[in-house]
Amino acid sequence: MNTFTSQELIDLEEKYGAHNYHPIPVVLDKGKEAKVWDIEGKEYFDFLSAYSAVNQGHCHPRIVNKAKEQLEKLTLTSRAFYNSELGKYEQYVTQLFGFDKLLPMNSGAEAVETALKIARKWGYEVKQIPNDEAIIVVCDGNFHGRTTTIISFSNDEEARKNFNPYTKGFISVEYGNHDALAEVFATHGDKICGFLVEPIQGEAGVYVPPAGYLKACETLCKEHNVLFIADEIQTGIARTGKMLAIDYEEVEASMLILGKALSGGVYPVSAVLANDDVMNVIKPGQHGSTYGGNPLACAIAQEALQVVLDENLAEKAFELGNFFRDEMQKMVDEFALFKAIRGKGLLNALLINDTPESETAWNFCVALAKNGLLAKPTHGNIIRFAPPLVITKDQLIECIEIIRKTAQNFK
Ligand SMILES: *Cc1c(COP(=O)(O)O)cnc(C)c1O
């Protein structure tokens, strides 16, 4: 029996936890597929999916069972020794995504850091960039995590202010504009080792770049011998209606960064994938992580990926996404409160018709929560809608009704 109320648990977090998040005031206690329940037993549709980590749905029985099996057998050895899961997992993932090698990490930010380190090392050792001069190009509005280096090249003042001094060696260009990238490459191409990009900018507010942008960037990278580094931590693993968002333009990344749904929300697992010409710049002792590649993580992630394939989640996300945007577009036309709906697959954003500083999106999310649907505003007045990909069409229709009802009664 649970003896706490939601308010008591919120108070505990307020008092004893660092205030580095501003949660919607619900206390979740249980999850199954596309739904979660709070401590009082109220049911919600989860329209955030832990920032797309739970694409496979909450507590997917196959992933949970795999975790239980492995938990009772072996969890952590460190990479001081080989373990009986890592090799099989690496073979599985590299074959699935078409790369020679995988480097296992835990959080998304760590995997991004890993890719940046590999890119720089490749820049000096293979591209022969003069020492200390390597540049990595990033995009305005990017979100790649929270480490000191990653926030150094963010434009989000909230994320970077007073965390300085910042890491050098990054140039930021306009997102979605391949001419801007061409220009930097023309000026600094011989010193640029990597171009780091999100195929859709998730945190920034689900910005979908113009069609052909990613392909044009890939071509520019090839022309200038620059590594194309795709951060698919949020867009990957079927979220946008393909296994990877870069698959829409048949882009082949030099490095692919995965996280979040790689483990279906069961355990933190991230990875960097690359071919030998890039990955082999890393030698023993030059990079690592105590938990990276542990047998529990490997068993969970392999099962989580297999679930995505077996349940055709990419196709599902593609079809349900088209349906969802069509229905939402009708609401955008109907309600002055809404400005636009955009996205790909089941990664979508509803733009609220108000100033970026106003509280309207937040208040609308609180109203949605009261009506049984959980979503969270991202930058400005933008609400991300990203349910688990296992949501059924009937459930999605129910959710659209909740959004409509909430809009009708919203003041
Ligand atoms: C969430 C996210 C990250 C960071 O992942 P963490 O696991 O939170 O460190 C990096 N890049 C993108 C695109 C993300 O959405």
Side-chain angles (χ1 to χ4, degrees), residues 134-313:
I135 297 168
I136 292 173
V137 179
V138 299
C139 295
D140 298 347
N142 68 74
F143 180 85
H144 298 286
R146 299 295 196 168
T147 65
T148 31
T149 286
I150 291 171
I151 58 101
S152 291
F153 56 79
S154 163
N155 339 94
D156 178 358
E157 268 309 289
E158 207 80 75
R160 70 198 304 271
K161 193 178 173 202
N162 288 344
F163 295 123
N164 52 323
Y166 302 118
T167 306
K168 289 184 284 192
F170 297 93
I171 295 179
S172 190
V173 297
E174 189 189 343
Y175 184 66
N177 175 357
H178 74 269
D179 288 337
L181 187 65
E183 213 176 293
V184 199
F185 281 4
T187 329
H188 304 285
D190 51 340
K191 291 182 180 169
I192 297 173
C193 55
F195 171 55
L196 174 65
V197 66
E198 298 158 85
I200 293 172
Q201 286 190 331
E203 289 311 298
V206 190
Y207 286 98
V208 183
Y213 169 68
L214 297 168
K215 193 75 198 171
C217 292
E218 181 199 26
T219 306
L220 282 168
C221 283
K222 285 210 175 103
E223 283 168 11
H224 291 269
N225 194 22
V226 169
L227 302 177
F228 184 105
I229 309 168
D231 180 347
E232 293 251 16
I233 291 171
Q234 187 160 156
T235 51
I237 329 274
R239 171 53 60 187
T240 69
K242 300 258 184 203
M243 195 58 172
L244 299 175
I246 54 172
D247 292 346
Y248 276 102
E249 296 183 8
E250 289 172 11
V251 166
E252 285 181 24
S254 327
M255 270 196 270
L256 172 65
I257 310 172
L258 298 175
K260 294 199 168 121
L262 181 54
S263 63
V266 172
Y267 189 85
V269 185
S270 66
V272 176
L273 291 139
N275 284 336
D276 284 335
D277 55 327
V278 174
M279 196 65 98
N280 285 345
V281 301
I282 296 288
K283 308 263 177 343
Q286 296 174 347
H287 188 64
S289 159
T290 303
Y291 274 82
N294 73 72
L296 181 60
C298 296
I300 289 171
Q302 186 168 336
E303 192 70 3
L305 287 170
Q306 193 59 47
V307 163
V308 171
L309 299 178
D310 292 348
E311 299 188 8
N312 299 312
L313 294 184

Side-chain angles (χ1 to χ4, degrees), residues 41-192:
K42 182 175 160 64
E43 180 178 294
Y44 305 86
F45 283 106
D46 179 0
F47 257 47
L48 183 63
S49 304
Y51 301 98
S52 294
V54 195
N55 290 357
Q56 298 88 335
H58 287 278
C59 301
H60 193 290
R62 276 180 54 188
I63 309 173
V64 168
N65 281 335
K66 187 56 113 183
K68 282 183 183 165
E69 255 173 55
Q70 191 62 41
L71 269 169
E72 293 183 347
K73 198 169 157 223
L74 184 67
T75 56
L76 180 63
T77 57
S78 89
R79 299 285 303 280
F81 312 103
Y82 293 89
N83 76 63
S84 53
E85 292 297 318
L86 180 56
K88 293 185 291 183
Y89 164 70
E90 289 173 331
Q91 179 183 41
Y92 177 88
V93 183
T94 51
Q95 287 179 355
L96 181 58
F97 292 102
F99 288 89
D100 293 335
K101 283 187 169 54
L102 175 149
L103 199 158
M105 297 297 281
N106 313 285
S107 71
E110 278 180 325
V112 173
E113 286 278 348
T114 301
L116 298 175
K117 285 173 74 178
I118 295 171
R120 282 180 167 184
K121 207 158 191 299
W122 174 88
Y124 296 124
E125 294 174 10
V126 179
K127 185 166 171 171
Q128 302 279 313
I129 295 171
N131 188 36
D132 231 26
E133 292 183 25
I135 297 168
I136 292 173
V137 179
V138 299
C139 295
D140 298 347
N142 68 74
F143 180 85
H144 298 286
R146 299 295 196 168
T147 65
T148 31
T149 286
I150 291 171
I151 58 101
S152 291
F153 56 79
S154 163
N155 339 94
D156 178 358
E157 268 309 289
E158 207 80 75
R160 70 198 304 271
K161 193 178 173 202
N162 288 344
F163 295 123
N164 52 323
Y166 302 118
T167 306
K168 289 184 284 192
F170 297 93
I171 295 179
S172 190
V173 297
E174 189 189 343
Y175 184 66
N177 175 357
H178 74 269
D179 288 337
L181 187 65
E183 213 176 293
V184 199
F185 281 4
T187 329
H188 304 285
D190 51 340
K191 291 182 180 169
I192 297 173

